[in-house]
Amino acid sequence: MTLATLGLYGLGTMGSALALNIAEKGFGLHVANRTDDRIPEFMDEAGELADRLTGHDDLAAMAKAMPAPRAIILMVPAGAPVDGSIAELLPHLAPGDTIIDAGNADFNETRRRTAELEARGFAFIGMGVSGGEDGARHGPSMMVGGTRASWEGIRPVIEAIAAKFDGAPCADHFGPDGAGHFIKTVHNGIEYAEMQLIAELYGLMREGAGMAPAAIGARFGDWNAGPLKSYLVEITAEVLAATDRTGIPAVDAIVDAAGQKGTGRWTVIEALKLGQSASAIEAAVAGRAWSADRIGRAAGAALFAPERGAVDLPADTLAEALLAARIVDHSQGFSVLAAASDAFAWDLDMARIAEVWRAGCIIRSALLDDISAAFRDGAPHGHLAFAPAIAETLKSVLPALRRTVSAATASGHPVPALSASLAWFDTMIQARGTAALIQAQRDFFGRHGFDRVDGGAGRHGPWWG
Ligand code: 6PG
């Protein structure tokens, strides 16, 4: 397979970092940016690596200068800029060339773009890239969707620039069209849930136990040495230890309204469309939306003057609660992936997904090592939490989650993601739940019918005579 000539368009933070990573691994790369004055500046930043980089004034000039077959990576904001870049590129491409969208795209758009481009003889790859600026520069985790042939054309480059776990690249091809972007979206959904869970525990320690940020940071630091080891726990420890230039804890200098670009919300939307529920992720998206409603919260605080009680749980209890809820949010994420895999006939390799998330990406963690092993041992499709090794851990830490949620809610501390995780668990271990009543109600008001437990005939209740 001929290695394609590589180009990269969009030298923002992530694009620049990825371009330098590619050049550092020994590959030649053509680069262009929306504004051409960025090129000389970028060449300066590249230092010795500039020898492997060829700058162009614009996207069309870059495409024209590149020998075919070309593979052009777009590092532009999701949505219209991707379509605009593709439209600009097309007149200068030849059949067999590949366009790679390496941003956080809605996988529905990736599927549309793939169909449009493949119909014209071009290849389109939707590639999820995780790890922030540092990851892009020194080794991101990458989730690729597209044809196998187009993957083979860029594979040596992608594997060379990827993060490595035990020497193996944290990048792979997972399926056609939108598969890579879908996996990245679910990665981000899990990222949202993990961040929300950490923030809820921070809140309990701060407001419930009256601990100072630095002391809480030290606790997260301790946790990072055990089963909770993860990039997000590690950076939480660092953030909470930091002091702002005004002398107060850095976290106290920040407005408590969380931003979001949409990937967490997309996970929830797609989960619901697939008949799933990723309730821990939904709680995290809701938590961000509620946080952004500062005027509403201020009015609520003034009206209800909440008095929050003390919650002083042992550190081990809080740590176990976090681990239990993390197992649930990962389990929900993998259920969504399993449902999408079935719905789109992607045949996703769950073990491989967990493996490429073990290094480079934002949710990398010790738990993902266990999850990878669980999938390799044949974890049930769509039910990660019930894989023997994972279920054993969950059994041991679940009481701490229950204790934490009980204490928090009894004292007025909001813990939406912890609560959602516990509710999911309590529901999923009920062989017979309460939905029979819902079926009866549906039949009562709308003759919707139901299945009988004895398998017998008759789909309506006695209320219909
Ligand atoms: C990653 C991240 C990244 C994402 C940011 C911000 O995997 O490197 O997920 O892709 O853009 O985390 O996302 P929000 O602005 O939605 O929080």
Side-chain angles (χ1 to χ4, degrees), residues 14 104 129-132 184 187-188 191-192 195 259-264 288 361-362:
M14 293 291 286
N104 277 334
V129 179
S130 178
K184 175 59 171 45
H187 164 285
N188 282 28
E191 171 185 305
Y192 273 50
M195 293 167 77
Q260 50 179 320
K261 294 195 200 76
T263 43
R288 289 198 189 189
C361 70
I362 302 295

Side-chain angles (χ1 to χ4, degrees), residues 404-421:
T404 303
V405 171
S406 306
T409 50
S411 304
H413 297 273
V415 285
L418 288 165
S419 310
S421 304

Side-chain angles (χ1 to χ4, degrees), residues 38-93:
R38 170 79 184 112
I39 300 292
E41 186 187 72
F42 174 67
M43 290 298 181
D44 268 1
E45 285 162 26
E48 287 179 0
L49 296 176
D51 292 351
R52 297 188 189 134
L53 298 162
T54 313
H56 302 275
D57 289 346
D58 55 44
L59 188 51
M62 180 173 93
K64 274 191 252 175
M66 292 170 63
R70 309 167 180 86
I72 297 177
I73 304 173
L74 301 178
M75 294 294 289
V76 298
V82 175
D83 287 317
S85 306
I86 292 172
E88 220 177 308
L89 262 178
L90 284 186
H92 311 289
L93 297 188

Side-chain angles (χ1 to χ4, degrees), residues 19 58 79 92 94 124 139 162 165-166 182 184 212 217 252 264 287 318 402 420 433:
D58 55 44
H92 311 289
F124 188 66
F165 184 91
D166 282 348
F182 192 94
K184 175 59 171 45
D252 288 350
L318 296 177
R402 193 176 305 290

